[in-house]
């Protein structure tokens, strides 16, 4: 089943927001890497963080990822207007009855 | 530049068939799995499955197995997603994305621009 994220978060420009991604012992808790994607309104998703905490070239340093136990987090420090988007986590799932890869339920970040 | 370009929007009636495409360029198409992702209107991302273009190995999500078919044509670096009998609930945007080979259980990047499929009588 899907990884669990808060449906929405908001923050003023310059603030820090943190998005949680809660899984289980068959995915995040088993040590499988977590990846994060950003989907700007009306566009395709884009890779934001890979392998728990790595930023692809071109992704601003204000985006950072971490993982502990059965959860992962995406932090956006110094929130900017262009960060208003939907954010999704993703991981591999080893349970035989489900999909090989699962996405999070998604979090809409609003910049006040 | 590595790029995935998908076919255009489609409108079909329930019960009709459809095949949409995803053409890769800027890399060796056979060396990277292609993943398909569904996004229903106003909803989140759902992993549908993936196909290995070189050997045609396929992993389907149980939620989609039996209703969709993945295929590839390596000669034209193109992956396909097909339905034999569409339902209204298939209305969604469908994305293809390339899965990295740099790590096991890896990420997908880049993504195609998406194909909007509308099924309505």
């Amino acid at each position: 089943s899907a990884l669990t994220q808060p449906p929405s978060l908001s923050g003023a420009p310059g603030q820090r927001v943190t998005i949680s991604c809660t899984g289980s012992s068959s995915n995040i808790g088993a040590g499988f890497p977590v990846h994060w994607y950003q989907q700007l309104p009306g566009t395709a998703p884009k890779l934001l963080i890979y392998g728990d905490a790595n930023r692809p070239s071109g992704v601003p340093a204000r985006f950072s990822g971490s993982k502990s136990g059965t959860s992962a987090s995406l932090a956006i420090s110094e929130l900017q207007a262009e960060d208003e988007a939907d954010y999704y986590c993703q991981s591999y799932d080893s349970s035989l009855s489900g999909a090989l890869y699962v996405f999070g339920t998604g979090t809409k970040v609003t910049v006040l | 530049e590595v790029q995935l370009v998908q076919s255009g929007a489609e409108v079909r009636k329930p019960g009709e068939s459809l095949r949409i495409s995803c053409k890769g360029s800027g890399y060796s198409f056979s060396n990277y799995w292609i993943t398909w992702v569904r996004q229903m209107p106003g909803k989140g991302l759902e992993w549908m499955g993936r196909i290995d273009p070189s050997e045609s190995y396929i992993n389907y999500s149980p939620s989609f197995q039996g209703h969709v078919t993945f295929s590839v044509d390596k000669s034209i670096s193109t992956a396909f997603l097909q339905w034999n009998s569409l339902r209204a609930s298939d209305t969604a945007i469908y994305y293809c994305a390339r899965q990295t080979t740099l790590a096991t259980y890896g990420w997908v990047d880049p993504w195609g621009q998406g194909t909007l499929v509308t099924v309505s009588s």
Side-chain angles (χ1 to χ4, degrees):
Chain A
S1 57
L3 307 173
T4 302
Q5 299 179 231
S8 62
L9 288 172
S10 62
Q15 284 190 328
R16 177 186 177 92
V17 295
T18 302
I19 302 169
S20 61
C21 171
T22 302
S24 68
S25 58
S26 64
N27 42 65
I28 299 175
F32 295 115
V34 177
H35 319 301
W36 291 89
Y37 303 90
Q38 177 193 57
Q39 187 175 32
L40 295 169
T43 70
K46 182 190 91 167
L47 179 67
L48 195 64
I49 296 287
Y50 66 91
D52 300 335
N54 302 288
R55 279 179 289 106
S57 173
V59 172
R62 64 179 183 277
F63 293 95
S64 62
S66 63
K67 187 175 77 177
S68 178
T70 57
S71 294
S73 295
L74 172 71
I76 312 173
S77 63
E78 300 177 9
L79 196 63
Q80 298 185 9
E82 59 261 36
D83 299 333
E84 189 159 288
D86 294 323
Y87 294 84
Y88 296 91
C89 56
Q90 182 200 25
S91 188
Y92 179 85
D93 193 294
S94 59
S95 62
L96 298 178
S97 60
L100 279 185
Y101 289 86
V102 288
F103 284 101
T105 48
T107 299
K108 182 175 182 58
V109 170
T110 301
V111 182
L112 302 172
Chain B
E1 178 194 7
V2 176
Q3 205 172 5
L4 297 174
V5 178
Q6 299 185 232
S7 49
E10 302 276 5
V11 179
R12 292 287 188 278
K13 292 180 167 48
E16 292 187 338
S17 63
L18 175 65
R19 189 176 78 165
I20 63 175
S21 66
C22 168
K23 182 175 176 59
S25 62
Y27 72 100
S28 179
F29 183 76
S30 295
N31 290 351
Y32 295 81
W33 291 72
I34 293 289
T35 290
W36 288 96
V37 175
R38 182 175 77 174
Q39 187 168 38
M40 299 177 75
K43 302 298 183 183
L45 306 176
E46 298 175 87
W47 190 85
M48 300 176 67
R50 63 178 185 170
I51 183 167
D52 169 16
S54 64
E55 303 286 346
S56 292
Y57 294 134
I58 298 176
N59 301 126
Y60 289 108
S61 165
S63 299
F64 295 92
Q65 178 117 35
H67 184 54
V68 300
T69 303
F70 303 153
S71 62
V72 295
D73 184 337
K74 290 183 291 184
S75 69
I76 55 172
S77 301
T78 300
F80 300 97
L81 168 58
Q82 179 175 333
W83 296 261
N84 289 332
S85 181
L86 285 159
R87 311 162 181 159
S89 57
D90 292 319
T91 295
I93 297 174
Y94 293 87
Y95 294 101
C96 63
R98 188 187 79 163
Q99 184 164 17
T100 185
T101 58
L102 296 178
T104 314
Y105 315 116
W107 56 95
V108 288
D109 179 62
W111 295 61
Q113 83 277 19
T115 296
L116 174 62
V117 173
T118 303
V119 184
S120 175
S121 54

